[in-house]
Amino acid sequence: MKNLIIIGKVFPEPNSTAAGSRMIQLMDLFLTQNYQITFLSTATISENSFDLSSKNIHFQNILLNDSSFDELIKNINPDIVVFDRFTTEEQFGWRVSEQVPNAVKILDTEDLHFLRNAREKAFKQNKVLENSDLINGVFKREMASILRCDLSLIISEFEMNLLIEKFKFDENILFYLPLFGEVKKSETSFSERKNFISIGNFLHEPNWQTVLQLKKLWKDIKKQLPEAEIHIYGAYASEKVFQLHNEKEGFIIKGRAESVETVFNTAKVLLAPIPFGAGIKGKLLESMQFGLPNVTSTVGAESMHGNLDWNGFITDNENEFIEKAVLLYQDENLWQKSQENGYKIVENRFKKELFEPHFIHKIQEISENLESHRNQNFLGQILQHHTLQSTKYLSKWIEEKNKK
């Protein structure tokens, strides 16, 4: 049996975040290939963490800047190490290279953090994003991490093209692997449904800003649909979120959704005026899976539908957003057509079977030709050398300092 280590930023919470769902999907993919998986993280397990033992996945906590990790990884002797986001590669990548140099190193980017950070900064400064805004501190760290790894998983086509066309990355060290989805056709008819919903983990800044956008737009929607309410769902809602709750206005903060499927099967339209972000949006993929039409922004729909018709409407104009939300809520034929569009997008662009064989083949190819694969990535070799010299000794200094 082959060994896989995943070093997670946090223990996955698939019912709280799209990142958590992504991690479980990756694990399932490797389990089908008979890998023994060990999940390691410096974070603590919460009551919302997925029960990894239910999939026979070993897990344990690890320490930052501590040589106990070295002995652990040597004993496991993994064939593959997956880093959950570039920050875990920064912290543990040099130790992996030193202790198990023949392990294939895979970075799961989740989304490109430098892109999300640049868009957030531009949004908050009320300016148009420029190319120069992308070259920030996070960009340099994240790009270095991608180069140091043997393969990086990219979740959106837009981000794949950005890395290849703009930043001239070698396609051989990148692999497009989106979130997976499957159609779960709803039996709830248009007439049986009511109300709008929005959903998103509130630890994620774009989700909080989306709710603020909705608060601004909702009064005009409510004027045209006085019987309608909007229900806001999301894990880790803070006091500032609950302060937006207003029953008179029909703006209802619900908090964590215990069952996304139940919530999506009773609502009529999902609203997601997402102002910034990166990657692909789990809430919108789920809305397609469960047959819930939506109205979203250009950033929200980015890289999701290709040349296929959207399951609702895409607009960045506030007045048009209000108009389309009302139209989709009232027009049954349009609503049903939008639902079918969503099912088609899932079937044609997000089914696991479209990606799994190519991904497994890619990993086998790299594993069997690891030395030549790394020699072609000469910039990665250079960065790896300097990381082992700098990050290694900084970490050792911190470890000694902590002992004292």
Side-chain angles (χ1 to χ4, degrees), residues 167-221:
F167 297 116
K168 311 304 178 187
F169 270 74
D170 182 357
E171 288 185 60
N172 207 33
I173 62 170
L174 306 175
F175 193 90
Y176 169 57
L177 195 72
L179 287 166
F180 302 142
E182 59 182 56
V183 171
K184 300 174 182 179
K185 288 197 174 184
S186 173
E187 300 299 322
T188 314
S189 68
F190 175 84
S191 60
E192 294 173 293
R193 296 168 177 261
K194 64 177 182 178
N195 299 326
F196 295 90
I197 63 163
S198 184
I199 192 167
N201 163 32
F202 286 104
L203 296 179
H204 192 50
E205 180 65 13
N207 291 332
W208 165 239
Q209 293 296 335
T210 297
V211 173
L212 293 180
Q213 296 286 102
L214 281 171
K215 186 70 173 177
K216 185 167 60 170
L217 300 170
W218 177 246
K219 288 181 182 178
D220 287 323
I221 297 173

Side-chain angles (χ1 to χ4, degrees), residues 69-84:
F69 177 86
D70 301 348
E71 197 61 33
L72 173 65
I73 198 166
K74 267 199 299 187
N75 288 337
I76 297 174
N77 192 26
D79 299 277
I80 296 174
V81 177
V82 173
F83 302 101
D84 172 24

Side-chain angles (χ1 to χ4, degrees), residues 16 170 254:
S16 301
D170 182 357
K254 290 281 193 176

Side-chain angles (χ1 to χ4, degrees), residues 307-331:
N307 296 321
L308 300 173
D309 291 333
W310 189 248
N311 66 321
F313 294 100
I314 304 165
T315 178
D316 296 320
N317 180 279
E318 291 185 2
N319 291 331
E320 189 177 359
F321 189 97
I322 293 163
E323 174 195 329
K324 299 303 184 186
V326 172
L327 179 62
L328 197 52
Y329 195 89
Q330 292 179 318
D331 190 326

